């Protein structure tokens, strides 16, 4: 009986270890996917943090977003684009990378009255934002309003 209990205990230990291995593999896959999403949510500009932050506000307004919050000191912005059936919320973080570079990271969430907010993983959404931001940064650097 004692041997049987030891074998059952050994079996359960093996089962638990196997479950942990599957979870860690899944975590690596999820982290890889998150890194891919982050790669098209982020862009580095050869400009100051201040110019990039002001240009982000202008770009969001050009895309018909309503600015909810803008803290230029910390470089955080949030804005919402309202539609009849859904909302798109953008959160932007601008940080300095040295004195002559700014890193801009955008994060979009889509929500409707029928569903909970969901992260937007479509690269085209971010590509469109960064296209408008490229022009807004050019205008900010040249002093064109």
């Amino acid at each position: 009986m004692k041997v049987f209990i030891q074998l059952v205990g050994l079996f359960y230990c093996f089962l638990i270890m196997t479950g942990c291995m599957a979870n860690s593999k899944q975590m690596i896959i999820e982290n890889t996917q998150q890194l891919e999403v982050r790669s098209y949510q982020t862009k580095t500009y050869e400009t100051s943090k201040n110019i990039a932050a002001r240009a982000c506000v202008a770009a969001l307004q050009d895309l018909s977003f309503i600015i909810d919050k803008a803290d230029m000191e910390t470089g955080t912005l949030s804005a919402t684009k309202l539609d009849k059936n859904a909302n798109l919320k953008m959160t932007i973080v601008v940080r300095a990378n040295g004195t002559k570079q700014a890193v801009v990271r955008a994060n979009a969430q889509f929500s409707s009255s029928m569903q909970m907010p969901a992260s937007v993983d479509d690269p085209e959404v971010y590509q469109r934002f960064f296209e408008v931001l490229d022009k807004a940064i050019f205008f900010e650097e040249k002093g064109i309003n």
Side-chain angles (χ1 to χ4, degrees):
M1 187 68 166
K2 188 175 184 181
V3 173
F4 176 74
I5 293 173
Q6 288 176 340
L7 285 174
V8 169
L10 186 61
F11 173 75
Y12 281 122
C13 286
F14 178 74
L15 188 64
I16 289 171
M17 291 173 118
T18 304
C20 291
M21 288 181 355
N23 289 338
S24 63
K25 188 175 184 179
Q26 181 64 29
M27 287 173 58
I28 290 170
I29 291 169
E30 288 174 2
N31 285 343
T32 303
Q33 291 168 339
Q34 186 61 30
L35 288 174
E36 182 182 346
V37 171
R38 187 179 301 170
S39 73
Y40 50 79
Q41 288 179 329
T42 307
K43 189 167 180 181
T44 302
Y45 290 94
E46 298 294 326
T47 192
S48 70
K49 176 184 168 184
N50 261 355
I51 288 174
R54 287 195 314 265
C56 284
V57 170
L60 288 167
Q61 289 174 333
D62 289 345
L63 291 167
S64 301
F65 280 83
I66 298 168
I67 306 299
D68 300 321
K69 293 180 186 175
D71 186 342
M72 296 304 185
E73 190 174 319
T74 62
T76 56
L77 309 161
S78 65
T80 306
K81 187 172 188 175
L82 306 172
D83 192 73
K84 294 176 191 173
N85 302 320
N87 296 333
L88 182 62
K89 185 169 180 80
M90 268 302 231
T91 304
I92 311 288
V93 177
V94 182
R95 63 180 174 81
N97 187 19
T99 57
K100 299 185 183 208
Q101 281 189 336
V103 179
V104 177
R105 181 166 180 207
N107 187 4
Q109 284 192 326
F110 178 80
S111 65
S112 69
S113 58
M114 305 299 269
Q115 67 186 46
M116 296 292 292
S119 291
V120 176
D121 295 334
D122 182 2
E124 289 182 31
V125 171
Y126 300 101
Q127 185 178 16
R128 176 73 179 125
F129 168 73
F130 285 119
E131 286 172 0
V132 174
L133 181 58
D134 292 346
K135 293 173 187 164
I137 287 177
F138 175 79
F139 290 141
E140 278 293 325
E141 288 178 336
K142 301 298 180 194
I144 303 169
N145 292 332

